[in-house]
């Protein structure tokens, strides 16, 4: 309701930061990078524009921070921007045909058609789309766009990530999934899928998203491939159960973001985030095929790798549900920057901070409590080769100073559960060890809520400890 | 309503009409009439309600005073009659009156919460559940207003004549009223390199006047000139023409669905459908085809112009499968043959036909034996919202004068904004062309167009042009009036089958589908950009959605005072059973005092069931809230010093038990909550209860902590089962005490 003339409030300071206008032609992008220390504002003055598939409201000032992102217009738009940018530029597309978004949009409309077909006949199963490719090909961005566009057309698709580096609605090191039914948070540094978009005890101006997550606690798949596969299976079966029970979600289908796999000429490379390549035997493609099976993928979108496309084509041509698997390779959009190590590290830290303390829109009040060593149960993956049969997967972690500043995953399990159960349990949250006093056998733990820590916790090996979280 | 009732109502209505001041006498008289005719109370209430609704702003307040007076003097039955409509009555009036009147209304509203002055009854004039929604709405509107006000302010500060003129109060450029989090809740201080927020700028906006740091300024460059000249001449391609018409029909249908009552749109759409039919059923000579093509080209430009109005470069301005000429030659390596394989008709022939079409007007002119300029000049001044740049003469422009002959057809052929053919095409001044197609660059005063505005469209004013032309060419008999009412097809769904999962197919621009993500979804929500259709159902959804926004606005402020925390993630089972319901608040399963869900988990114990060490009940653990015991020298517990705090739970009359809590290293009362007063602000009005007792008493009442959009299906049942266990355990516990 608008009540004109209501509540003329407060006179306030008049110093406005310099604003300027960014004009976007149809199918051009405004790309920007904003450091975690600064903020910028963006307002859509005319036309239509969107971030990762979610439209900007007209004349609403969005506050942006800590991100490398882009705002795209398909119809042309005028933006008003202000604030500090590390870098910023407009990428024009000479013609729509030259824009990668043409293919993305077509892909969306194709998926939309499949959804309609699915609900009109057949099993009601919407498309299960796996997006894969080498690093810096815009996989996550495409995944978000496909989800955003689908929700705009009133679909309720699942977005899943099996890339432990992402931290989709979770801390990094987690494989997760969530149903998206409403707009994403345009202001979220992660484009609406950051951990800041998960529920808190208070209301949220942008609808929260409810994830299910499994804690991998490693950066790379190959660091513990067996665990990764087990967790992909768990996540896949949760998503299948979800789509099975909810007709709307079933129709909406699933979009799965995957770890970077750089496949070339018979060898599989997995790229580190700092650009170093690790050659590895078949793991990458095997991993993808594992995802295809566990999520009953029937559409594979490869970004920027005809070789990978060819390899995947040679593998299997039937989905778990018996449908033909369709595979397409799309060009990698140019200008996707490979994120440097420092940037990614700072993003991870910021995510951890968001998780406990909230963001600029929601300040949260976590608690710091002191626990006796005997009051907590912390496990850690057994390192190295284990010759036991069956192999012991977890062991009680010895609590030492070394644990300081690490985030621990709190598992939805009981401390008395079998280790295997704990290892594959969904994560219900995280705590951060802020201090360990070995002499007094007490430790201080930062936790979103106060209360006893009765759940088993897992000490992963990634993301790295966040030393100054508590100052 | 019986005759007497009708009479009474009519009299009352008449008396109301004359009421234009707050004259006490008249109000008392009207109140007495209402009192004496209480048996016709419903009729009177209806009349008054109607009157308030329709009265001009100046007469609204007196009428409200009548309502107020009647309700306070004759609460039965009038409070009952006005109650259900109270919200509409009040809010409806509020929106139309000035701020002085609003203050009066605020005062009035306040009195409604109180018992009637002088009455023995302690009941308020209206029950709180009628008054509170109004208060909430006002609060929300104030918040929302602030947003709006501030954004308007921004316009003003930039000298932009936008929006209703509002006060020139300087306002920070952003910041939503509810946004700034209190400083105190921040972590002591952050990791140096990543100060997430600084205490001084809580809403994250640097209030410094420093110009943005270097960085390449987003200066617009014209898209690189490229691409060769238009294609080679040829005759009319009938498939191409059919396709164009199909596109226009789609466009027209969209227009029609948005503006059902515009006859001209309807007529035009009818003509198009007719034309389509003719083309499909008859073999027309080339000359007639050309005439049609010509007309269609004009229509395309005009409809485009109309569709453009709301937004700078119109989504609908894009032509479906029409590849611009240069596309076929330069950009897309795919040969037309491949294209047509992937494109189901009618799109297929289009690509092939594009180039020929470009040369049409000249051909047409020759064929028709008249100068091409006879093609009626089309005023397009209103077409693209960006005002023409200086290069153009302003006022009315004809497309031809801007672009030269051939432009119409070129535009038709390449209905999407094409790259200016700067190098190759001699005629079009690039600047003008750019102005036509895209938002202007260095022109800050670019005006955001009003969201919905019926387009003043040249051709709309002459919708029968096409019909006339058809008649003229002998394709259509009869007079305009005899044109059959068109059968309006429902909005055609994007034909999915034309897209295949191949990279060639995916790379073909299908810009006609774009509106399905934009305009066809309806106008966007001003708060979040989500679109809602203008249908009845869409309106309902939008209303629910806006209600949700306002509820959230309000609760955000409350929540900030309360302090919030990240919720634990739900269990696998809960996740699987949860259901996303946009714009529906999270509702606690019925019969539960506390939802015990993601929105109110006070520790890490929710979610999993069974196997828990020590067998502590879920509820018991959930309710494990404690306060520092006041009488054991606790610091900062229940009020400073803790003097005067009740040591017995007022509900169960049991003493609170102190115990030493390791984790806080202090003595606490377990399962205790402070109710009333402000924690830490002295003991006034404050009571301590057992958390569990308090919840029991307040079961079902507490709905404050709602979470948007999540409803847990099946959760209620499961929890009720658990509650059953709780009962037993609770019973045992009580026996033991
Ligand atoms: Zn909204
Ligand atoms: Zn009690």
């Amino acid at each position: 309701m608008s009540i004109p003339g209501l509540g003329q409030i407060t006179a306030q300071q008049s110093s406005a930061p310099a604003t300027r206008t960014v004009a976007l032609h149809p199918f051009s992008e405004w790309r920007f990078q904003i450091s975690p220390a600064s903020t910028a504002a963006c307002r859509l003055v005319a036309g239509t524009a969107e971030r990762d598939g979610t439209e900007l409201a007209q004349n609403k000032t969005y506050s942006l921070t800590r991100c490398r992102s882009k705002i795209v217009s398909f119809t042309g738009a005028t933006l008003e921007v202000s604030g500090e940018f590390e870098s910023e530029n407009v990428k024009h597309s000479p013609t729509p045909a030259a824009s990668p978004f043409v293919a993305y949009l077509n892909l969306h409309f194709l998926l939309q058609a499949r959804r309609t077909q699915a609900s009109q006949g057949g099993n009601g199963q919407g498309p299960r789309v796996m997006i894969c490719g080498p690093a810096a090909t815009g996989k996550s961005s495409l995944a978000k766009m496909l989800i955003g566009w689908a929700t705009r057309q009133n679909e309720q698709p699942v977005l899943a990530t099996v890339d432990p580096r992402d931290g989709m609605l979770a801390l990094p090191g987690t494989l997760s999934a969530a149903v998206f039914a409403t707009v994403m948070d345009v202001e979220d540094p992660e484009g609406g899928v950051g951990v800041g978009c998960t529920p808190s005890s208070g209301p949220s101006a942008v609808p929260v998203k409810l994830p299910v997550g499994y804690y991998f606690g490693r950066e790379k798949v190959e660091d513990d491939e067996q665990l990764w596969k087990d967790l992909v299976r768990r996540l896949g079966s949760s998503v299948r159960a979800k789509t099975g029970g909810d007709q709307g979600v079933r129709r909406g289908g699933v979009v799965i973001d995957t770890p970077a796999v750089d496949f070339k000429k018979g060898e599989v490379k997995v790229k580190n985030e700092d650009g170093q390549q690790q050659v590895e035997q078949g793991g990458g493609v095997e991993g993808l095929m594992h995802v295809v099976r566990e999520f009953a993928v029937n559409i594979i979108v490869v970004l920027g790798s005809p070789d990978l496309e060819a390899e995947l084509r040679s593998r299997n041509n039937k989905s778990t549900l018996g449908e033909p698997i369709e595979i397409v390779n799309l060009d990698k959009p140019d200008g996707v920057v490979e994120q440097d190590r420092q940037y990614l590290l700072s993003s991870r830290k910021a995510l951890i901070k968001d998780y406990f303390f909230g963001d600029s829109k929601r300040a949260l009040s976590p608690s710091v409590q002191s626990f006796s060593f005997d009051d907590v149960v912390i496990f850690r993956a057994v390192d190295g080769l284990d010759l036991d049969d069956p192999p012991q997967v977890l062991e009680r972690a010895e609590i030492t100073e070394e644990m300081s500043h690490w985030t621990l995953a709190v598992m939805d399990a009981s401390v008395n559960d079998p280790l295997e159960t704990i290892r594959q349990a969904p994560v219900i949250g995280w705590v951060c060890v802020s201090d360990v006093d070995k002499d007094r056998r007490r430790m201080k733990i930062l936790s979103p809520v106060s209360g006893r820590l009765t759940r088993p916790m897992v000490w992963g090996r990634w993301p790295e400890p966040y030393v100054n979280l508590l100052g | 309503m019986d005759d007497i009732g009708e009479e009474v109502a009519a009299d009352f209505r008449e008396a109301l009409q004359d009421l234009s001041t707050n004259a006490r006498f008249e109000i008392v008289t009207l109140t007495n009439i209402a009192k004496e005719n209480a048996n016709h109370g419903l009729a009177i209430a209806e009349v008054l309600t109607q009157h308030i609704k329709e009265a001009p702003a100046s007469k609204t307040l007196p009428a409200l005073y009548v309502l107020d007076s009647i309700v306070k003097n004759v609460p039965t039955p009038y409070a009952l009659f006005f109650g259900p409509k109270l919200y509409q009555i009040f809010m409806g009036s509020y929106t139309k009156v000035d701020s002085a009147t609003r203050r009066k209304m605020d005062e009035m509203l306040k009195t409604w919460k109180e018992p009637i002055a002088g009455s023995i009854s302690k009941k308020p004039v209206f029950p709180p559940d009628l008054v509170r929604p109004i208060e909430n709405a006002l609060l929300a509107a104030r918040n929302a207003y602030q947003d709006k006000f501030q954004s308007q302010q921004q316009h003003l500060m930039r000298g932009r004549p936008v929006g209703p003129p509002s006060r020139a109060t300087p306002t920070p450029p952003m910041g939503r009223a509810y946004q700034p989090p209190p400083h105190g809740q921040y972590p002591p201080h952050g990791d140096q390199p990543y100060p997430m927020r600084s205490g001084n700028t809580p809403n994250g906006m640097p209030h410094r006047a420093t110009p943005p740091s270097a960085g390449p300024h987003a200066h617009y460059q014209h898209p690189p000139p490229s691409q060769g000249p238009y294609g080679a001449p040829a005759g009319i391609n009938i498939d191409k023409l059919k396709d164009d018409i199909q596109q226009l029909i789609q466009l027209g249908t969209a227009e029609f669905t948005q503006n059902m009552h515009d006859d001209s749109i309807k007529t035009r759409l009818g003509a198009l459908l007719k034309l389509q039919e003719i083309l499909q059923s008859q073999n027309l000579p080339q000359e007639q085809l050309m005439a049609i093509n010509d007309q269609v080209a004009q229509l395309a430009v005009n409809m485009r112009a109309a569709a453009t109005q709301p937004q700078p470069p119109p989504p609908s301005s894009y032509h479906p499968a029409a590849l611009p000429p240069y596309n076929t030659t330069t950009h897309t390596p795919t040969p037309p043959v491949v294209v047509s394989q992937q494109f189901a008709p009618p799109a297929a022939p289009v690509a092939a036909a594009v180039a020929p079409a470009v040369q049409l007007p000249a051909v047409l002119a020759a064929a028709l034996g008249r100068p091409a300029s006879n093609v009626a000049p089309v005023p397009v001044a209103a077409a693209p919202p960006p005002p023409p740049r200086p290069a153009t003469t302003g006022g009315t422009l004809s497309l031809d004068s801007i672009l030269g002959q051939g432009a119409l057809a070129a535009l038709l052929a390449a209905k999407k904004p094409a790259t200016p053919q700067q190098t190759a095409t001699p005629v079009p001044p690039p600047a003008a062309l750019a102005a036509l197609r895209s938002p202007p660059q260095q022109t800050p005063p670019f005006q955001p167009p009003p969201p919905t505005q019926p387009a003043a469209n040249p051709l709309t004013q002459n919708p029968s042009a096409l019909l006339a032309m058809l008649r003229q060419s002998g394709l259509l008999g009869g007079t305009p009036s005899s044109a059959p009412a068109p059968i309006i097809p429902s909005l055609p769904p994007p034909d999915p089958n034309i897209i295949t999962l191949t990279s060639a197919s995916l790379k073909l621009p299908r810009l006609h589908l774009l509106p399905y993500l934009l305009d066809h979804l309806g106008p966007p929500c001003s708060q979040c950009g989500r679109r809602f259709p203008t249908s009845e159902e869409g309106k309902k959804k939008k209303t629910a959605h806006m209600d949700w926004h306002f509820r959230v606005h309000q609760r955000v402020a409350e929540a900030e005072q309360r302090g919030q925390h990240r919720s634990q993630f739900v269990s696998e089972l809960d996740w699987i059973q949860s259901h996303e319901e946009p714009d529906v608040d999270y509702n606690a399963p019925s019969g539960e005092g506390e939802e015990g869900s993601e929105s109110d988990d006070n520790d890490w114990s929710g979610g999993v069931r069974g196997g828990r060490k020590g067998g502590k009940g879920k509820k018991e653990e959930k309710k494990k809230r404690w306060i520092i015991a006041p009488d054991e020298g606790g610091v900062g517990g229940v009020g400073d010093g803790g003097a005067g705090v009740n040591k017995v739970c007022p509900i169960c009359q049991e003493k609170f038990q102190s115990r030493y809590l390791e984790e806080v290293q202090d003595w606490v009362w377990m399962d205790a909550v402070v109710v009333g007063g402000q924690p830490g602000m002295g003991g006034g009005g404050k009571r301590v209860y057992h958390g569990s007792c308090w919840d029991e008493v307040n079961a079902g009442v507490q709905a404050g902590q709602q979470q948007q959009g999540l409803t847990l299906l099946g959760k209620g049942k499961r929890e009720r089962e658990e509650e059953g266990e709780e009962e037993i355990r609770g019973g045992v516990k009580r026996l033991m005490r």
Side-chain angles (χ1 to χ4, degrees):
Chain A
M1 178 186 323
S2 114
I3 302 185
L6 191 111
Q8 296 77 34
I9 338 232
T10 62
Q12 291 169 48
Q13 65 269 53
S14 56
S15 68
T19 59
R20 68 217 134 74
T21 302
V22 173
L24 294 179
H25 275 200
F27 283 84
S28 46
E29 312 160 32
W30 174 52
R31 293 175 171 174
F32 52 89
Q33 181 175 348
I34 305 164
S35 91
S38 33
T39 52
C42 167
R43 193 165 69 92
L44 173 65
V45 179
T48 67
E50 50 190 82
R51 179 178 178 196
D52 293 332
T54 301
E55 267 194 278
L56 274 62
Q58 261 203 6
N59 285 320
K60 181 184 164 95
T61 303
Y62 290 94
S63 170
L64 302 165
T65 185
R66 192 189 95 210
C67 57
R68 281 176 187 177
S69 190
K70 57 185 183 297
I71 285 174
V72 186
S73 178
F74 299 127
T75 64
T78 306
L79 304 173
E80 225 171 54
V81 303
S82 62
E84 291 177 43
F85 296 89
E86 283 186 308
S87 68
E88 174 218 353
N89 68 296
V90 173
K91 182 176 175 273
H92 282 292
S93 190
T95 69
S99 158
F101 292 105
V102 165
Y104 299 166
L105 285 165
N106 280 326
L107 179 57
H108 161 72
F109 286 115
L110 178 132
L111 296 180
Q112 204 54 24
R114 299 291 168 89
R115 289 176 181 122
T116 308
Q117 284 165 0
S119 64
Q120 280 168 355
N123 52 9
Q125 282 277 2
R128 282 85 56 210
V129 186
M130 179 175 81
I131 299 171
C132 57
T137 47
K139 293 184 293 297
S140 304
S141 184
L142 174 58
K144 275 182 277 184
M145 276 185 266
L146 292 177
I147 294 293
W149 291 332
T151 57
R152 271 155 76 175
Q153 295 201 271
N154 291 318
E155 302 292 345
Q156 301 204 349
V158 172
L159 174 60
T161 183
V162 294
D163 183 356
R165 277 167 230 179
D166 274 1
M168 193 267 290
L169 299 172
L171 291 194
T174 310
L175 316 187
S176 58
V179 174
F180 285 76
T182 50
V183 295
M184 289 189 236
D185 187 352
V186 174
E187 293 178 319
D188 176 53
E190 322 300 319
V193 299
V195 77
C197 306
T198 61
S200 73
S201 61
S204 168
V206 176
V208 292
K209 310 294 183 288
L210 189 61
V212 63
Y214 300 87
Y215 192 57
F216 182 53
R218 306 275 197 161
E219 179 185 6
K220 287 169 288 194
V221 173
E222 61 271 23
D223 288 344
D224 191 344
E225 201 166 334
Q226 191 50 52
L227 176 59
W228 183 79
K229 285 191 168 177
D230 289 345
L231 297 186
V232 167
R233 186 174 299 121
R234 279 299 292 263
L235 185 64
S237 73
S238 284
V239 168
R240 279 202 308 270
K242 177 93 196 165
T243 53
D246 189 319
Q247 209 177 329
V249 178
R250 181 156 69 246
R251 177 193 147 103
V254 187
V255 174
I256 308 141
D257 191 13
T258 60
V261 173
D262 198 359
F263 181 87
K264 277 197 189 87
K265 294 169 201 136
E267 66 175 6
V268 173
K269 286 174 182 173
V270 174
K271 222 168 197 182
N272 276 342
E273 62 177 31
D274 52 3
Q276 289 168 354
Q277 289 204 334
Q278 280 202 342
V279 182
E280 182 215 333
Q281 314 303 323
V285 175
E286 287 313 319
L288 293 179
M289 290 314 295
H290 182 63
V291 174
V292 167
R293 283 187 296 273
E294 297 303 328
F295 283 86
V297 166
N298 66 338
I299 290 179
I300 301 177
V301 177
V302 183
L303 287 177
S305 178
D307 285 355
L308 179 58
E309 180 201 11
E311 175 65 20
L312 288 169
R313 268 188 204 287
S314 75
R315 293 302 180 103
N316 195 345
N317 49 17
K318 282 272 189 293
S319 82
T320 314
L321 300 180
E323 311 135 297
I325 297 179
E326 295 172 89
I327 304 179
V328 71
N329 176 59
L330 295 176
D331 297 339
K332 132 190 179 133
D334 48 78
V336 178
V337 212
E338 201 147 333
Q339 316 275 34
D340 60 273
R341 203 174 178 82
Q342 192 54 43
Y343 175 82
L344 289 167
L345 177 68
S346 71
S347 289
R348 286 196 292 273
K349 289 189 167 187
L351 277 176
I352 294 174
K353 201 160 189 171
D354 280 0
Y355 174 73
F356 290 106
F357 294 101
D359 52 27
S360 59
K361 283 181 295 209
R362 266 195 293 190
L364 305 181
S365 321
S367 79
V368 180
Q369 291 168 271
S370 168
F371 291 91
S372 158
F373 283 8
D374 303 323
D375 288 347
V376 293
V377 180
I378 302 171
F379 292 99
R380 182 164 231 206
V382 174
D383 222 358
L385 219 70
D386 188 64
L387 299 175
D388 294 355
D389 190 30
Q392 200 195 343
V393 287
L394 287 178
E395 59 189 0
R396 278 294 282 269
E398 195 196 337
I399 302 174
T400 65
E401 275 86 1
E402 204 196 326
M403 205 183 268
S404 294
H405 311 302
W406 281 87
T407 45
L408 313 178
V410 184
M411 311 302 269
D412 191 9
S414 154
V415 292
N416 297 328
D417 281 337
L419 292 176
E420 191 54 51
T421 304
I422 294 172
R423 176 173 166 266
Q424 294 190 31
V427 58
I428 54 169
W430 288 265
V431 297
C432 183
V433 179
S434 65
D435 189 38
V436 176
D437 184 342
K438 236 190 150 188
D439 301 331
R440 294 184 55 222
R441 290 183 53 78
R442 294 198 71 83
M443 60 199 300
K444 281 205 181 112
I445 291 182
L446 174 74
S447 161
V449 291
S450 62
R452 291 187 306 145
L453 285 167
T454 54
R455 304 302 189 84
M457 291 176 279
V458 171
W459 179 17
R461 287 179 167 79
W462 196 80
E464 53 282 279
Y466 186 171
V467 176
N468 289 321
L469 182 60
L470 281 168
Chain B
M1 196 186 308
D2 59 16
D3 289 350
I4 306 166
E6 251 175 65
E7 226 175 276
V8 170
D11 287 349
F12 199 79
R13 188 180 299 120
E14 229 172 82
L16 278 172
Q17 306 288 359
D18 297 327
L19 182 72
S20 58
T21 63
N22 302 334
R24 187 179 156 72
F25 172 73
E26 289 178 57
I27 290 169
V28 168
T29 306
L30 282 162
T31 305
N32 283 333
I33 295 175
K35 189 176 188 175
E36 283 157 23
N37 295 283
N39 51 334
H40 302 298
L42 189 57
I44 289 176
E46 268 169 12
V47 165
L48 182 52
T49 303
Q50 194 63 22
H51 173 76
I52 295 172
K53 197 172 131 198
E54 287 163 0
S58 60
K59 288 187 176 183
T60 300
L61 186 63
L64 282 167
Y65 278 141
V66 172
L67 185 154
D68 179 72
S69 168
I70 291 176
V71 165
K72 284 173 179 166
N73 288 290
V74 202
T76 316
Y78 285 100
L80 215 61
F81 291 148
F82 287 114
K85 289 178 190 148
L86 195 64
Y87 183 91
Q88 286 91 332
I89 294 171
F90 193 93
M91 295 313 291
S93 306
Y94 213 84
T95 48
K96 62 181 175 186
V97 299
D98 60 22
S99 54
T101 309
R102 283 177 187 173
R103 275 196 294 279
K104 297 245 161 57
M105 289 180 68
D106 289 338
E107 283 162 26
M108 190 190 300
L109 185 64
K110 235 182 264 168
T111 67
W112 290 354
K113 293 192 293 185
E114 270 141 41
I116 299 163
S119 159
I120 20 163
S121 164
K122 286 285 164 275
K123 275 189 0 199
V125 178
F126 284 110
D129 57 334
L130 291 178
V131 177
R132 200 174 302 120
I134 299 175
E135 293 180 313
N136 290 351
L138 291 178
L139 189 62
R142 276 186 195 107
N143 287 338
Y145 176 77
Q146 249 181 331
D147 287 354
K148 201 175 151 205
F149 180 69
Q150 287 171 358
S151 72
Q152 281 168 5
Q153 214 47 59
Q154 283 179 288
H155 286 279
L156 290 177
M157 275 155 45
R158 268 160 230 117
R160 187 162 306 159
V162 163
S166 42
R167 333 279 141 123
T169 320
T171 318
M174 42 156 313
R176 282 159 287 174
Y178 54 88
Q179 207 180 31
H183 307 166
Q185 294 183 0
Y186 293 148
H189 43 80
D191 196 19
Q192 283 320 313
Y194 318 110
M196 294 306 301
R197 343 173 183 82
S198 79
N200 292 330
T201 57
N203 62 4
M205 187 63 206
H207 291 297
R208 67 196 91 170
T210 329
S213 62
H217 197 285
H219 269 310
Y220 160 70
Q221 303 101 24
H222 279 291
S226 63
Q227 287 95 37
Y230 293 136
I236 300 279
N237 182 312
I238 187 154
D239 290 327
K240 157 88 175 67
L241 186 56
K242 279 181 187 167
D243 187 57
D244 286 343
I245 291 167
Q246 177 60 38
Q247 303 317 324
L248 289 180
I249 287 172
Q250 275 190 25
L251 206 59
T253 311
E255 231 180 315
F256 179 76
T257 49
Q258 276 167 19
N259 206 347
M260 300 275 207
H261 304 296
D262 190 332
D263 281 340
S264 60
I265 293 174
K266 199 161 128 191
T267 312
R268 192 176 56 208
L269 188 55
L272 282 165
L273 289 167
K274 189 79 201 163
L275 185 59
Q276 189 179 44
E277 196 188 309
I278 291 167
L279 279 177
Q280 248 134 36
S281 58
Q282 298 178 33
N283 241 337
L284 298 174
Q286 191 69 277
E287 187 185 325
Q288 278 182 346
L289 285 179
M290 284 174 184
I292 292 170
N293 195 64
D294 189 12
Q295 195 72 31
V296 165
Q298 248 191 69
L299 200 54
V301 171
N302 281 288
M303 288 177 70
R304 249 169 41 68
T308 315
Q309 299 255 340
Q311 285 164 354
S316 32
S317 69
Y318 301 114
H319 192 280
L323 297 171
Y326 50 78
N327 230 347
T328 49
T329 54
T330 52
H331 265 290
T332 316
T334 324
V337 186
V338 178
V339 170
S340 53
Q341 280 169 354
Q342 271 137 15
F343 251 96
V350 177
V354 166
V358 174
Q359 289 294 331
L360 228 165
V363 179
L364 182 68
L368 298 179
R370 56 185 164 92
S373 57
N374 277 3
V375 174
V378 186
V380 290
R389 307 208 358 218
T392 63
T393 45
T396 49
L397 293 167
S398 101
L399 259 190
D400 285 344
S401 74
I402 300 172
L403 303 177
Q405 284 310 319
L408 286 186
L411 273 171
L412 174 65
K415 281 189 199 83
K416 60 186 168 182
T419 313
Q421 322 287 300
Q422 286 172 327
T423 48
T425 318
V427 196
L433 202 55
L436 255 180
R437 307 188 229 260
S438 2
Q441 287 315 301
Q442 304 88 340
T443 44
F446 189 106
Q447 177 95 5
T452 52
Q453 175 197 53
N457 165 17
L459 209 89
T460 323
Q461 285 148 21
N462 185 13
S464 46
L466 181 63
L467 283 178
M469 185 275 301
L470 290 177
R471 232 170 278 119
Q472 200 185 327
S473 37
L475 291 172
L476 203 67
T479 60
S481 56
S482 76
I487 303 137
I488 303 304
S490 63
L491 200 57
D495 182 1
N497 302 316
I498 61 169
I499 308 177
T500 58
L501 199 75
T502 59
S503 97
S505 176
L506 290 176
K507 279 179 187 168
L508 284 178
R510 291 180 183 81
L511 304 173
H512 61 296
L513 295 181
L514 211 39
Y516 289 93
L517 282 174
L518 296 164
D519 289 355
H520 291 186
L521 296 174
C525 165
S526 61
Q527 305 270 311
C528 70
R530 204 173 129 203
R531 292 176 184 265
F532 292 87
T534 46
S535 64
E536 271 310 305
E537 205 204 334
K539 277 181 191 149
K540 260 186 218 153
K541 280 186 177 164
K542 175 115 187 221
T543 307
H545 176 73
M546 295 318 283
D547 284 351
W548 173 77
H549 271 302
F550 290 129
R551 285 198 300 274
V552 168
H553 271 288
Q554 193 191 4
R555 294 210 313 268
V556 163
E558 291 170 11
E560 268 167 13
Q561 290 168 0
R562 210 170 44 221
Q564 306 168 67
H565 58 81
R566 180 75 58 203
S567 299
Q568 71 178 48
F569 293 176
V570 295
S571 73
E572 213 169 61
L573 190 63
D574 283 345
W575 184 77
I576 290 165
Q577 292 177 340
S578 68
H579 177 66
E580 293 278 336
E581 195 109 43
D583 303 323
V584 173
D585 283 352
Y586 174 80
N587 283 317
S590 58
E592 309 264 45
E594 202 172 355
E595 51 265 57
S597 73
E598 64 286 341
S599 65
D600 195 35
D601 39 359
N602 276 320
D603 64 12
W604 294 106
S605 53
V608 82
R609 289 162 306 283
R612 201 181 288 118
K613 199 176 173 182
K616 277 234 171 189
K618 174 177 176 132
K619 184 175 181 182
E620 200 176 330
E621 284 199 7
K622 281 177 50 55
K623 303 289 153 59
K624 189 176 62 57
R625 285 163 289 186
W626 49 263
I627 60 172
I628 306 278
D631 50 349
E632 245 92 9
V635 188
V638 196
D640 304 333
V645 168
N646 56 305
K647 300 187 172 58
V648 171
C649 170
I651 294 170
C652 69
Q653 302 299 323
E654 275 183 45
K655 271 190 85 169
F656 294 104
Q657 302 290 323
S658 297
R659 61 167 272 209
Y660 188 76
L661 190 60
E662 188 75 57
E663 56 202 69
V664 288
Q665 308 194 350
D666 205 336
W667 288 89
V668 301
W669 286 353
M670 296 303 289
D671 186 27
V673 292
V674 183
V675 178
Q678 287 283 326
M681 306 225 340
K686 195 168 47 185
R687 308 280 279 168
V688 182
Y689 295 82
H690 284 124
S692 45
C693 293
W694 177 255
D695 288 341
E696 243 167 71
V697 169
N698 290 285
V701 176
Q702 193 181 30
Q705 301 192 339
Q706 295 155 327
Q707 198 62 256
Q708 200 273 345
L710 303 167
T711 314
L712 291 178
L713 299 176
K715 187 177 172 82
K717 180 170 176 279
R718 207 198 66 227
E719 286 218 330
R720 268 193 295 283
E721 283 162 11
E722 289 197 3
E723 293 292 316
E725 292 169 36
E726 295 293 336
E727 294 288 325
I728 297 162
R729 275 199 291 271
V732 172
K733 206 169 71 187
R734 266 173 217 128
L735 280 177
M736 283 163 68
R737 290 199 291 233

